[in-house]
Amino acid sequence: MKYPAGPAPVLPDRFAGRPVISPTCTGGACAGCGDLCPSGALQPQMIEGKASLRIDTGKCLFCRACENACPNAAVKFSGEYRLAAASREDLLVGSGSEAFAPALVERARKVFGRSLKLRQVSAGGCNACEADCNVLGTPAWDMGRFGISFVASPRHADALLITGPVTANMRLALLKTYQALAEPRIVIAVGACAISGGAYAGHDEVCGGASEVVPVDLFIPGCPPHPLTILDGLLRLIGRGDLA
Amino acid sequence: MNANPLLRIRNGECFDASGVPLVSIDDLRETILTQVESGARIASFFGTDLGRDGGKTAATPPERVRLICVLAFDNRSELGVIAADAERAYPSLTPDCPQAHWFEREIFEQWGVEPIGHPWLKPIRFSPARSCSVAESVSVVPAPAPDCFHMQGEEVHEVAVGPVHAGVIEPGHFRFQCLGETVYHLEISLGYQHRGIERALVARPGPRTRHYIETLAGDTTVGHMLAYCRAMESLTSTHVPPRAQAIRGIAAELERLANHVGDLGALAGDVGFLPTQNYCGRLRGDLLNLTAAICGNRFGRGLIRPGGVAWDLDHERADAMLALLEAVEKDVRSAVELMFEAPSVLARFEGTGAVSAETAEQIGLVGPAARACGLERDVRFNHAYGIYRFATLPVATWHSGDCFARAYVRWQEIQRSFEFVRDQLRALPAGAPANEPGAAATGKMVVTLVEGWRGEICHAMATDAQGRIAAYKVVDPSFHNWFGLAMALRDQQISDFPLCNKSFNLSYCGHDL
Ligand code: SF4
Ligand code: SF4
């Protein structure tokens, strides 16, 4: 795989990547699309006196229910795979504040830029996010070429990569794993579940995302995120490759 | 007692909830025991509060829980349903019928009805009981700390693993009782992935319903969606067009292919046979990408919908998929044959983690794990549905019940699934990809069985007087099979655990729900 020096792998034409909201959006006045959204990702807003919508990609399940319902074709899911961001506000697409994740601050980059060891904790998701993280270790993706790999012990890890909404039953194990990492440590939330609780937000059985338990440094949206989206996020974090 | 109190139905047939024979708890026990004795299986056994909602069924005092049992008669393609209202306790079935083991523990945990004399009565997922307010009980439920079985003795030691494991996998806790390297007993404690899906399914459908089903187990999105959609279609009398049936079949077999190929690669990895591990890792990805070619998502999210499929397959797309499929098939064949020809691999697979046919039958294994013990158990064949009523797939079995058998059954199934997908892609029926479902019938029930790649998926749904979901019970194949892994580990080397575990490759989230 030539990426990131060469072109990224071609994604299927029906892939749902970063949403785009066009100015034809009336803010939900026409189709009541807000009620269709399973996760509360579609949010009304006012920009310069005009009603429109924004999509919180940290909550979005990329199900296209809004796109399919819109009579004005105001919501479209593009093939753009780059979605990772460093703060929750940066995930609000259509709000004007969205931004891609910047590289870590210089000092941290010096520490992690050439070698980033990840301890993965699965905490109540559906295991699809885990599957797409695992894929990055296979020969085709081979994230080892960037010095990134999954390790068996939190003692060997620089970063915690969390998937799932953090169930009540996993809360303690997650906290203990976090505490076992040496400082400085990074926390990465992968998938709608880990960012916001996803499809299970509001359930009493879950905490509603990793940030409810530990501070998160990088958010990688999707349900699940495509492996390319995850890799892009990780590379952004360590400032590797020629990422636009 | 009535000689035959069961309501006999077919896989996916809609019936009146009030038509389910409501017998005494003693008669329920008696019926289950005699039927299982003569070859039936427990497909599902669960509690509901159906008796309380003042629907079509007789009113039940609030302290009672309606237990419903679904029995499967595989050689007659029939299901039998029976119900009884239980009060606080009843004599456990498990001592006479080990298949009931996990179900009775679940009923006890969810509904507080105690199976008296159950040999192993403890929570299976540490979920709050349905009878009390969830918010109250969550704060008092301790993090899962298994009160497990201990072996005593001077040289005995205990090994605890999890919930956080070494690899990128789901959480679960394993406790091994060992003497030297030999495992005498493995106790499996789950529940870490419990996120309350079954509870949240009640009183809907709504915008989240589809996502709940699609994420019951993310690697079985198509399998679980088929079970849900077939139930909805039955309740709404919706006809699924042949074209949709074919596309559903393609998606289901691609799901099986991706997972089986991935599993064979992982099994190779666990015995240090790197070529097959690496090849299969990539090929699994190619198969997931074939699903993504249909619907944009590698796991088939958003593809299956009540009434049919949400994405159509035109000629061009089908042809492009065919070309890819043939290339992948060739590579899979060479990667897998390489593994099965390697004596070093066979030496590790053969005889490891064997489960006898008798044990498999007793504990009610399903899917490839059951077929690897020689049991002819495959919903696609025994209770054929959808496309499988027209395109039959032979049941793949092997007799040795060990890791080799579980690998070899997968390999047979891979070959048949490739052939099936190829045939379907070549001859897609014309017509619409979906019909629009109407309103769900009220006061009805339906049970759907689907053969997921891990085995039998069973969804049971009942509607209330408004046509909303009054009860929803999901049985993932892992629910039947986790105990099989514990049995496979008996008298094995503890170092063989990863291999045995991978040979079952069970779902934590599908179990924990
Ligand atoms: S695609 Fe995202 S924003 Fe749109 S309805 Fe689905 S979850 Fe909501
Ligand atoms: S974010 Fe979506 S894909 Fe990931 S674990 Fe949660 S439900 Fe599964």
Side-chain angles (χ1 to χ4, degrees), chain A residues 16 19 21 33-43 54-57 59-69 75 77 223, chain B residues 207 210-211:
Chain A
I21 298 180
C33 48
D35 297 338
L36 287 172
C37 179
S39 59
L42 206 57
Q43 300 163 351
R54 64 181 188 207
I55 290 183
D56 181 347
T57 53
K59 292 186 171 173
C60 183
L61 308 179
F62 296 80
C63 71
R64 295 183 187 262
C66 50
E67 183 187 57
N68 293 336
V75 183
F77 280 82
C223 185
Chain B
R210 191 186 111 191
H211 301 280

Short mmCIF file of all heavy atoms in Angstrom, two decimals, chain A residues 16 19 21 33-43 54-57 59-69 75 77 223, chain B residues 207 210-211, ligand 1:
data_model
loop_
_atom_site.label_atom_id
_atom_site.label_comp_id
_atom_site.label_asym_id
_atom_site.label_seq_id
_atom_site.Cartn_x
_atom_site.Cartn_y
_atom_site.Cartn_z
N ALA A 16 -20.22 5.68 3.07
CA ALA A 16 -20.70 6.92 3.68
C ALA A 16 -19.59 7.53 4.52
O ALA A 16 -19.29 7.06 5.61
CB ALA A 16 -21.94 6.65 4.53
N PRO A 19 -20.20 13.82 6.16
CA PRO A 19 -21.41 14.44 5.61
C PRO A 19 -21.15 15.88 5.16
O PRO A 19 -20.25 16.54 5.66
CB PRO A 19 -22.39 14.41 6.78
CG PRO A 19 -21.55 14.28 8.01
CD PRO A 19 -20.26 13.61 7.60
N ILE A 21 -23.42 19.44 4.43
CA ILE A 21 -24.74 20.06 4.51
C ILE A 21 -24.74 21.29 3.62
O ILE A 21 -23.86 22.14 3.72
CB ILE A 21 -25.06 20.43 5.98
CG1 ILE A 21 -25.09 19.14 6.80
CG2 ILE A 21 -26.39 21.17 6.06
CD1 ILE A 21 -25.38 19.32 8.24
N CYS A 33 -36.61 15.88 9.83
CA CYS A 33 -35.57 14.85 9.79
C CYS A 33 -34.92 14.62 11.15
O CYS A 33 -34.39 13.55 11.41
CB CYS A 33 -34.53 15.18 8.74
SG CYS A 33 -33.97 16.88 8.84
N GLY A 34 -34.99 15.63 12.03
CA GLY A 34 -34.37 15.48 13.34
C GLY A 34 -34.94 14.29 14.11
O GLY A 34 -34.22 13.60 14.83
N ASP A 35 -36.26 14.02 13.92
CA ASP A 35 -36.87 12.90 14.62
C ASP A 35 -36.44 11.56 14.09
O ASP A 35 -36.62 10.53 14.74
CB ASP A 35 -38.41 12.98 14.51
CG ASP A 35 -38.95 14.23 15.17
OD1 ASP A 35 -38.24 14.77 16.04
OD2 ASP A 35 -40.05 14.67 14.81
N LEU A 36 -35.91 11.55 12.86
CA LEU A 36 -35.49 10.28 12.26
C LEU A 36 -34.16 9.82 12.78
O LEU A 36 -33.81 8.66 12.68
CB LEU A 36 -35.34 10.47 10.74
CG LEU A 36 -36.60 10.61 9.92
CD1 LEU A 36 -36.21 10.97 8.50
CD2 LEU A 36 -37.36 9.30 9.95
N CYS A 37 -33.38 10.77 13.27
CA CYS A 37 -32.01 10.45 13.63
C CYS A 37 -31.99 9.57 14.86
O CYS A 37 -32.54 9.92 15.90
CB CYS A 37 -31.21 11.72 13.87
SG CYS A 37 -29.51 11.36 14.35
N PRO A 38 -31.34 8.40 14.77
CA PRO A 38 -31.36 7.47 15.88
C PRO A 38 -30.52 7.91 17.08
O PRO A 38 -30.71 7.43 18.18
CB PRO A 38 -30.77 6.19 15.27
CG PRO A 38 -29.95 6.66 14.12
CD PRO A 38 -30.64 7.87 13.59
N SER A 39 -29.59 8.85 16.85
CA SER A 39 -28.61 9.11 17.90
C SER A 39 -28.56 10.58 18.32
O SER A 39 -27.68 10.96 19.07
CB SER A 39 -27.23 8.69 17.41
OG SER A 39 -26.90 9.41 16.26
N GLY A 40 -29.48 11.40 17.80
CA GLY A 40 -29.44 12.81 18.17
C GLY A 40 -28.28 13.54 17.55
O GLY A 40 -27.84 14.59 18.05
N ALA A 41 -27.75 13.02 16.43
CA ALA A 41 -26.60 13.65 15.80
C ALA A 41 -26.99 14.87 14.97
O ALA A 41 -26.21 15.78 14.78
CB ALA A 41 -25.87 12.65 14.91
N LEU A 42 -28.23 14.84 14.50
CA LEU A 42 -28.70 15.90 13.61
C LEU A 42 -29.28 17.01 14.49
O LEU A 42 -30.30 16.82 15.13
CB LEU A 42 -29.80 15.30 12.73
CG LEU A 42 -30.06 15.90 11.38
CD1 LEU A 42 -28.80 15.90 10.53
CD2 LEU A 42 -31.15 15.09 10.69
N GLN A 43 -28.60 18.17 14.49
CA GLN A 43 -28.99 19.20 15.45
C GLN A 43 -29.33 20.51 14.76
O GLN A 43 -28.59 20.97 13.91
CB GLN A 43 -27.85 19.42 16.45
CG GLN A 43 -27.52 18.15 17.22
CD GLN A 43 -26.16 18.22 17.90
OE1 GLN A 43 -25.39 19.15 17.66
NE2 GLN A 43 -25.87 17.22 18.71
N ARG A 54 -26.75 20.95 11.79
CA ARG A 54 -25.37 20.47 11.77
C ARG A 54 -25.40 19.01 12.19
O ARG A 54 -26.37 18.56 12.80
CB ARG A 54 -24.50 21.30 12.72
CG ARG A 54 -24.94 21.16 14.16
CD ARG A 54 -24.07 22.02 15.07
NE ARG A 54 -24.40 21.72 16.45
CZ ARG A 54 -24.25 22.58 17.44
NH1 ARG A 54 -23.79 23.80 17.21
NH2 ARG A 54 -24.55 22.23 18.67
N ILE A 55 -24.36 18.30 11.84
CA ILE A 55 -24.28 16.88 12.22
C ILE A 55 -23.11 16.70 13.16
O ILE A 55 -21.97 17.06 12.84
CB ILE A 55 -24.13 15.98 10.98
CG1 ILE A 55 -25.44 15.98 10.18
CG2 ILE A 55 -23.76 14.55 11.39
CD1 ILE A 55 -25.44 15.08 8.97
N ASP A 56 -23.41 16.16 14.33
CA ASP A 56 -22.35 15.83 15.27
C ASP A 56 -21.80 14.47 14.86
O ASP A 56 -22.40 13.43 15.15
CB ASP A 56 -22.93 15.79 16.69
CG ASP A 56 -21.86 15.49 17.74
OD1 ASP A 56 -20.74 15.08 17.35
OD2 ASP A 56 -22.15 15.65 18.94
N THR A 57 -20.66 14.47 14.18
CA THR A 57 -20.12 13.20 13.69
C THR A 57 -19.65 12.30 14.84
O THR A 57 -19.41 11.12 14.64
CB THR A 57 -18.94 13.41 12.70
OG1 THR A 57 -17.97 14.25 13.31
CG2 THR A 57 -19.42 14.03 11.41
N LYS A 59 -21.65 11.59 17.19
CA LYS A 59 -22.85 10.82 17.50
C LYS A 59 -23.37 10.05 16.29
O LYS A 59 -24.08 9.06 16.43
CB LYS A 59 -23.97 11.76 17.97
CG LYS A 59 -23.71 12.40 19.31
CD LYS A 59 -24.91 13.20 19.76
CE LYS A 59 -24.73 13.66 21.21
NZ LYS A 59 -25.80 14.57 21.62
N CYS A 60 -23.04 10.52 15.11
CA CYS A 60 -23.62 9.99 13.87
C CYS A 60 -23.29 8.51 13.66
O CYS A 60 -22.16 8.08 13.89
CB CYS A 60 -23.10 10.81 12.69
SG CYS A 60 -23.80 10.31 11.12
N LEU A 61 -24.29 7.76 13.24
CA LEU A 61 -24.09 6.34 12.94
C LEU A 61 -23.92 6.11 11.43
O LEU A 61 -23.87 4.99 10.98
CB LEU A 61 -25.28 5.52 13.45
CG LEU A 61 -25.66 5.75 14.93
CD1 LEU A 61 -26.86 4.89 15.31
CD2 LEU A 61 -24.48 5.43 15.85
N PHE A 62 -23.88 7.21 10.67
CA PHE A 62 -23.67 7.14 9.23
C PHE A 62 -24.69 6.21 8.56
O PHE A 62 -24.35 5.38 7.73
CB PHE A 62 -22.22 6.74 8.92
CG PHE A 62 -21.24 7.78 9.39
CD1 PHE A 62 -20.85 7.84 10.73
CD2 PHE A 62 -20.74 8.73 8.52
CE1 PHE A 62 -19.97 8.82 11.18
CE2 PHE A 62 -19.85 9.70 8.96
CZ PHE A 62 -19.47 9.75 10.30
N CYS A 63 -25.94 6.35 8.99
CA CYS A 63 -26.99 5.44 8.52
C CYS A 63 -27.75 6.00 7.33
O CYS A 63 -28.57 5.31 6.75
CB CYS A 63 -27.96 5.13 9.66
SG CYS A 63 -29.02 6.52 10.11
N ARG A 64 -27.51 7.25 7.00
CA ARG A 64 -28.12 7.92 5.84
C ARG A 64 -29.62 8.14 5.99
O ARG A 64 -30.28 8.48 5.00
CB ARG A 64 -27.89 7.11 4.55
CG ARG A 64 -26.43 7.02 4.13
CD ARG A 64 -26.36 6.26 2.82
NE ARG A 64 -25.00 5.97 2.40
CZ ARG A 64 -24.32 6.70 1.51
NH1 ARG A 64 -24.87 7.77 0.99
NH2 ARG A 64 -23.10 6.36 1.17
N ALA A 65 -30.20 7.92 7.15
CA ALA A 65 -31.65 8.13 7.30
C ALA A 65 -31.99 9.57 6.95
O ALA A 65 -32.99 9.84 6.28
CB ALA A 65 -32.09 7.79 8.71
N CYS A 66 -31.16 10.52 7.37
CA CYS A 66 -31.43 11.93 7.10
C CYS A 66 -31.27 12.23 5.61
O CYS A 66 -32.09 12.90 5.00
CB CYS A 66 -30.53 12.82 7.94
SG CYS A 66 -28.79 12.38 7.88
N GLU A 67 -30.20 11.67 5.04
CA GLU A 67 -29.96 11.89 3.61
C GLU A 67 -31.13 11.37 2.79
O GLU A 67 -31.62 12.04 1.88
CB GLU A 67 -28.67 11.16 3.19
CG GLU A 67 -28.27 11.37 1.76
CD GLU A 67 -27.08 10.48 1.38
OE1 GLU A 67 -27.17 9.25 1.52
OE2 GLU A 67 -26.06 11.04 0.96
N ASN A 68 -31.62 10.19 3.12
CA ASN A 68 -32.72 9.59 2.36
C ASN A 68 -34.03 10.35 2.55
O ASN A 68 -34.88 10.35 1.67
CB ASN A 68 -32.91 8.13 2.76
CG ASN A 68 -31.74 7.27 2.35
OD1 ASN A 68 -31.00 7.61 1.42
ND2 ASN A 68 -31.53 6.16 3.05
N ALA A 69 -34.19 11.00 3.69
CA ALA A 69 -35.46 11.68 3.97
C ALA A 69 -35.51 13.09 3.40
O ALA A 69 -36.59 13.65 3.21
CB ALA A 69 -35.70 11.73 5.47
N VAL A 75 -28.58 17.16 2.75
CA VAL A 75 -27.57 16.37 3.46
C VAL A 75 -27.05 15.31 2.50
O VAL A 75 -27.83 14.57 1.90
CB VAL A 75 -28.17 15.67 4.70
CG1 VAL A 75 -27.08 14.92 5.46
CG2 VAL A 75 -28.86 16.66 5.60
N PHE A 77 -23.80 12.34 2.07
CA PHE A 77 -22.62 11.71 2.64
C PHE A 77 -21.58 11.54 1.56
O PHE A 77 -21.82 10.91 0.54
CB PHE A 77 -22.98 10.38 3.30
CG PHE A 77 -23.57 10.60 4.65
CD1 PHE A 77 -24.91 10.93 4.81
CD2 PHE A 77 -22.76 10.57 5.78
CE1 PHE A 77 -25.44 11.20 6.06
CE2 PHE A 77 -23.29 10.83 7.03
CZ PHE A 77 -24.62 11.15 7.18
N CYS A 223 -19.27 4.38 12.60
CA CYS A 223 -19.98 3.30 13.29
C CYS A 223 -20.02 2.10 12.37
O CYS A 223 -21.04 1.81 11.79
CB CYS A 223 -21.38 3.74 13.70
SG CYS A 223 -22.25 2.50 14.69
N PRO B 207 -36.51 4.80 15.62
CA PRO B 207 -35.32 5.01 14.79
C PRO B 207 -34.11 4.18 15.22
O PRO B 207 -33.25 3.86 14.39
CB PRO B 207 -35.03 6.51 14.96
CG PRO B 207 -36.28 7.11 15.48
CD PRO B 207 -37.03 6.04 16.19
N ARG B 210 -33.30 -0.56 14.37
CA ARG B 210 -32.43 -1.18 13.40
C ARG B 210 -30.97 -1.24 13.90
O ARG B 210 -30.28 -2.24 13.71
CB ARG B 210 -32.51 -0.33 12.13
CG ARG B 210 -31.87 -0.96 10.94
CD ARG B 210 -31.89 0.02 9.80
NE ARG B 210 -30.54 0.44 9.53
CZ ARG B 210 -30.23 1.44 8.74
NH1 ARG B 210 -31.18 2.15 8.16
NH2 ARG B 210 -28.99 1.75 8.54
N HIS B 211 -30.55 -0.17 14.55
CA HIS B 211 -29.16 -0.12 15.00
C HIS B 211 -28.91 -1.07 16.16
O HIS B 211 -27.85 -1.64 16.29
CB HIS B 211 -28.76 1.32 15.35
CG HIS B 211 -28.91 2.24 14.18
ND1 HIS B 211 -27.98 2.32 13.20
CD2 HIS B 211 -29.93 3.05 13.82
CE1 HIS B 211 -28.40 3.16 12.26
NE2 HIS B 211 -29.59 3.62 12.63
S1 SF4 C 1 -26.76 9.59 9.12
FE1 SF4 C 1 -26.13 10.38 11.12
S2 SF4 C 1 -27.14 12.34 11.33
FE2 SF4 C 1 -28.17 11.25 9.66
S3 SF4 C 1 -29.89 10.20 10.65
FE3 SF4 C 1 -28.20 8.74 10.63
S4 SF4 C 1 -27.16 9.04 12.58
FE4 SF4 C 1 -28.48 10.83 12.28
#
